[in-house]
Amino acid sequence: MVLFQRILLLAVVATISTGFYFKSSDEAFGDLLIGCGLVAGFFVLMPLFIYSRYNGRDLSRYMLSEENIKRMRRYQQGDEEE
């Protein structure tokens, strides 16, 4: 998965770079390449990255629940025992 993400990242960067190169001679084609690279980066690469980073982790630690709100209030008042 990591290898696929790196290859995709290189492809996105290469597409955007090529788009900027072609923008000097053919502006419409350059804009098309830049747009395709950005779409692939935002809608394909970023969700794959987020999924691979948080796969198998307990996300309830990061959610705002009633217990976490009470813990934050205790911490703000200085009553947190560690």
Side-chain angles (χ1 to χ4, degrees), residues 15-78:
T15 304
I16 293 173
S17 301
T18 306
F20 278 113
Y21 176 76
F22 279 115
K23 193 168 178 151
S24 62
S25 61
D26 186 9
E27 190 167 340
F29 184 64
D31 286 340
L32 178 70
L33 286 176
I34 293 170
C36 289
L38 288 175
V39 166
F42 283 117
F43 292 116
V44 178
L45 184 62
M46 188 60 85
L48 282 175
F49 174 75
I50 292 171
Y51 175 76
S52 68
R53 293 295 292 173
Y54 289 106
N55 188 19
R57 293 194 184 191
D58 183 24
L59 297 180
S60 64
R61 293 179 48 195
Y62 306 107
M63 291 184 191
L64 196 57
S65 65
E66 193 66 38
E67 179 185 338
N68 289 341
I69 292 172
K70 289 177 185 177
R71 187 180 307 145
M72 286 188 297
R73 286 182 182 154
R74 284 195 315 260
Y75 180 76
Q76 286 178 347
Q77 294 171 354

